[in-house]
Amino acid sequence: MSTATAPILRIENIYKSFGETHVLTGISLTVQPQEVVVLVGPSGSGKSTLLRCINLLSPPDSGRIWLEEQEITAPGVNPDKVRQRIGMVFQDFNLFNHLTALGNVMIGLTKVRKMSKKEAHDLAMFELERVGLVDRAHHYPAQLSGGQKQRVAIARALGMDPHMMLFDEPTSALDPELTGEVLEVMQQLAREGMTMIVVSHEMGFARQVASRVVFMEGGVVVEEGTPTQMFEQPVHERTRVFLRKIADMDSGGR
Amino acid sequence: MESFVQLLNNVLPSLLQGVGVTLQIAAVSLLLGMAIGLPVGVGRVYGPRWLQRALAAYITLFQGTPLLIQLFLVYYGLPDLGLTLGRMEAAFLTLGLNSGAYQAEYLRGALQSVGEGQMTAARAIGMSKWLAVRSIILPQALRLVLPAWSNEAIAMLKYTAVVFLIAVPDLMGQAKILSSRYFAPIPIYMIVAVFYIVLVGATYLLLRQLERKLHIPGLTGETH
């Protein structure tokens, strides 16, 4: 394998249990730079847990993960440093409630990246501009709509200059009419070449943006392929049934 | 009526001195209690298990026994262990340790009511656990704890009254001296009660002002 096509992320045989619940049971996945991987699967299939293993919020019990050819599951690796390179966006936004939109983006810049107030302010405003929220810079989270909160959360992650981004059901907590503005920002990011792993059941987004769709069930990858392959002619019966169900929900108008 | 005005004139200077002492004890004890309660509260939630247990024992000890016993043990008991404190120092230490236990518990509640997601999000942008506690969790918890802390401040003003039992000349101590000097306990205790109400009211208004100043939409409750 030449370095030109070296994967940005390589996951090898990851296991993760919580007590008696075996959530990930030997999962492997490789992501190339600039790829957009959409993870789908029934709830409880381990999608969110996989994301939290990747940025070591919840380190795997066994198995190995390489980020840009550095093994981040090796002993002695500082997880805080790893997380600076991996942006994460949550279903429930998790904006810092005591800070304005601007403050939410700035705090990682001043406290983690050790920028000066001035530098941090300018970069934070730039990131808010990217998600179209400069005019909401001085609003507190409670004064923003769900879609705006999620865009601030994306700006906050982008401010750390991540090498890849993880999205954990970024639109699931939003009213249907607010999902568009968030998906648009994500689509923009994909166009700019950001490597992304997205847990989402937005099939429209998967069709248009994903380089690859990965179907997970029972803690393992059942099947993966291009959106066309996966939606038109999945190999596994389980994949077909699941994607059909999701598609029906989408068109059925919730 | 004339004799009441006369009495008021006679007792006022001593009572004002007493107010000074009461305020001093309350303020020092609250600050000492904060200096203790802040790390204890944080340690109760984020410390290692053994530390959590040790801190819980301290809190149980001071919440589970009468303040007066604590005061007597500190003032009369510690000299047996070779530590003799003046009356004021004994008052500061006892009330400070007692308030520290309560403040730690209030802070613990506030820390726990800051959602799990705040810590997760802070860790996700590369903050260490302690940086996240300092810059994300505590600023929210300290705002959330303010109403409970205001109650503690008000309670403290009244708890200080126990120190007259080790002969500290606080407002209550002065009242006792004056009531036997003038043989007029009822009017004097009534005057002193009014003094306490004024102190409590002023403290309440001051802290409400602070709550309003630190209010953040969506984080702290509505303040009117």
Side-chain angles (χ1 to χ4, degrees):
Chain A
M1 200 186 286
S2 76
T3 43
T5 59
I8 188 167
L9 181 77
R10 191 148 62 86
I11 299 169
E12 207 177 85
N13 209 24
I14 290 285
Y15 283 78
K16 180 75 187 177
S17 303
F18 298 99
E20 291 298 298
T21 317
H22 307 293
V23 182
L24 300 179
T25 51
I27 199 163
S28 299
L29 186 70
T30 301
V31 180
Q32 299 298 328
Q34 311 210 331
E35 255 196 312
V36 177
V37 174
V38 171
L39 276 181
V40 299
S43 71
S45 59
K47 306 174 302 269
S48 297
T49 304
L50 177 61
L51 292 192
R52 295 166 72 97
C53 279
I54 292 172
N55 70 355
L56 304 178
L57 274 178
S58 164
D61 299 333
S62 68
R64 300 162 83 184
I65 302 174
W66 287 264
L67 177 67
E68 297 168 317
E69 309 202 56
Q70 178 206 4
E71 192 195 337
I72 59 174
T73 42
V77 172
N78 180 349
D80 298 334
K81 294 267 181 274
V82 171
R83 287 188 206 110
Q84 289 175 38
R85 287 191 275 156
I86 306 178
M88 188 166 195
V89 172
F90 304 89
Q91 179 176 352
D92 299 321
F93 328 123
N94 291 347
L95 290 185
F96 303 133
N97 294 317
H98 63 306
L99 298 173
T100 60
L102 180 64
N104 264 276
V105 186
M106 275 180 71
I107 194 155
L109 305 181
T110 54
K111 302 277 181 184
V112 179
R113 291 184 70 187
K114 310 278 185 207
M115 289 183 176
S116 70
K117 273 255 155 62
K118 169 90 177 65
E119 274 180 295
H121 176 274
D122 293 350
L123 179 56
M125 288 305 273
F126 170 77
E127 300 298 356
L128 286 175
E129 174 97 62
R130 269 172 98 177
V131 300
L133 284 175
V134 168
D135 57 329
R136 292 286 182 276
H138 298 290
H139 286 55
Y140 284 98
Q143 299 165 324
L144 299 171
S145 73
Q148 291 170 340
K149 281 185 208 173
Q150 196 59 297
R151 283 146 69 199
V152 172
I154 294 172
R156 175 176 67 183
L158 289 175
M160 303 309 290
D161 198 16
H163 300 189
M164 68 178 301
M165 294 268 289
L166 309 174
F167 292 84
D168 191 1
E169 306 208 27
T171 56
S172 301
L174 297 176
D175 290 335
E177 75 269 23
L178 297 178
T179 58
E181 59 189 80
V182 173
L183 293 174
E184 233 165 78
V185 168
M186 290 168 61
Q187 199 159 357
Q188 175 66 30
L189 275 179
R191 272 201 298 271
E192 291 167 9
M194 177 64 78
T195 310
M196 296 161 55
I197 302 182
V198 183
V199 171
S200 174
H201 289 159
E202 296 286 346
M203 290 303 110
F205 177 82
R207 276 176 193 280
Q208 285 176 32
V209 184
S211 347
R212 210 151 31 110
V213 174
V214 174
F215 174 59
M216 272 178 78
E217 194 177 45
V220 292
V221 170
V222 174
E223 185 173 355
E224 55 179 300
T226 64
T228 318
Q229 275 167 7
M230 293 291 278
F231 291 122
E232 311 299 337
Q233 26 190 215
V235 175
H236 290 269
E237 176 66 11
R238 280 189 299 176
T239 313
R240 201 183 55 74
V241 170
F242 180 78
L243 289 179
R244 165 80 51 80
K245 219 176 346 184
I246 296 293
D248 285 351
M249 265 165 54
D250 250 13
S251 59
R254 270 166 290 173
Chain B
M1 189 62 208
E2 202 172 316
S3 69
F4 180 77
V5 174
Q6 181 69 40
L7 179 68
L8 196 58
N9 263 331
N10 288 336
V11 300
L12 210 51
S14 298
L15 289 184
L16 286 176
Q17 265 177 22
V19 167
V21 174
T22 290
L23 283 177
Q24 191 194 351
I25 294 174
V28 172
S29 304
L30 278 170
L31 288 177
L32 182 59
M34 201 188 299
I36 296 168
L38 193 70
V40 170
V42 171
R44 277 281 280 145
V45 179
Y46 295 105
R49 191 59 53 85
W50 62 267
L51 183 65
Q52 293 189 18
R53 290 224 185 88
L55 297 175
Y58 153 70
I59 290 165
T60 307
L61 191 66
F62 278 88
Q63 286 192 333
T65 56
L67 180 56
L68 201 49
I69 291 183
Q70 294 164 20
L71 183 67
F72 284 169
L73 286 179
V74 166
Y75 187 61
Y76 299 116
L78 284 187
D80 290 347
L81 302 175
L83 182 62
T84 307
L85 296 171
R87 299 175 204 290
M88 289 296 272
E89 286 75 25
F92 293 153
L93 184 63
T94 310
L95 287 166
L97 282 168
N98 183 281
S99 184
Y102 281 93
Q103 292 190 41
E105 278 299 88
Y106 296 141
L107 184 60
R108 180 170 73 104
L111 287 167
Q112 286 172 338
S113 70
V114 175
E116 189 72 28
Q118 298 286 304
M119 176 59 95
T120 309
R123 300 306 302 274
I125 55 171
M127 287 194 181
S128 68
K129 179 171 155 186
W130 292 110
L131 177 58
V133 170
R134 274 206 315 277
S135 58
I136 304 297
I137 310 293
L138 264 182
Q140 297 184 48
L142 289 176
R143 283 183 170 84
L144 294 173
V145 86
L146 210 50
W149 197 86
S150 301
N151 285 341
E152 174 65 12
I154 284 166
M156 175 57 79
L157 273 173
K158 294 174 290 174
Y159 284 149
T160 55
V162 299
V163 302
F164 89 97
L165 286 164
I166 57 168
V168 172
D170 72 325
L171 187 50
M172 189 67 186
Q174 295 288 2
K176 183 155 181 297
I177 297 164
L178 294 169
S179 66
S180 45
R181 182 185 301 160
Y182 293 98
F183 302 108
I186 300 302
I188 286 176
Y189 282 121
M190 278 171 62
I191 294 168
V192 166
V194 171
F195 270 64
Y196 275 111
I197 284 184
V198 171
L199 290 181
V200 165
T203 305
Y204 174 79
L205 290 176
L206 207 72
L207 290 170
R208 285 290 294 193
Q209 205 59 38
L210 185 66
E211 274 178 51
R212 219 162 291 167
K213 216 174 117 98
L214 295 177
H215 171 70
I216 287 178
L219 177 64
T220 43
E222 288 303 311
T223 53
H224 297 288

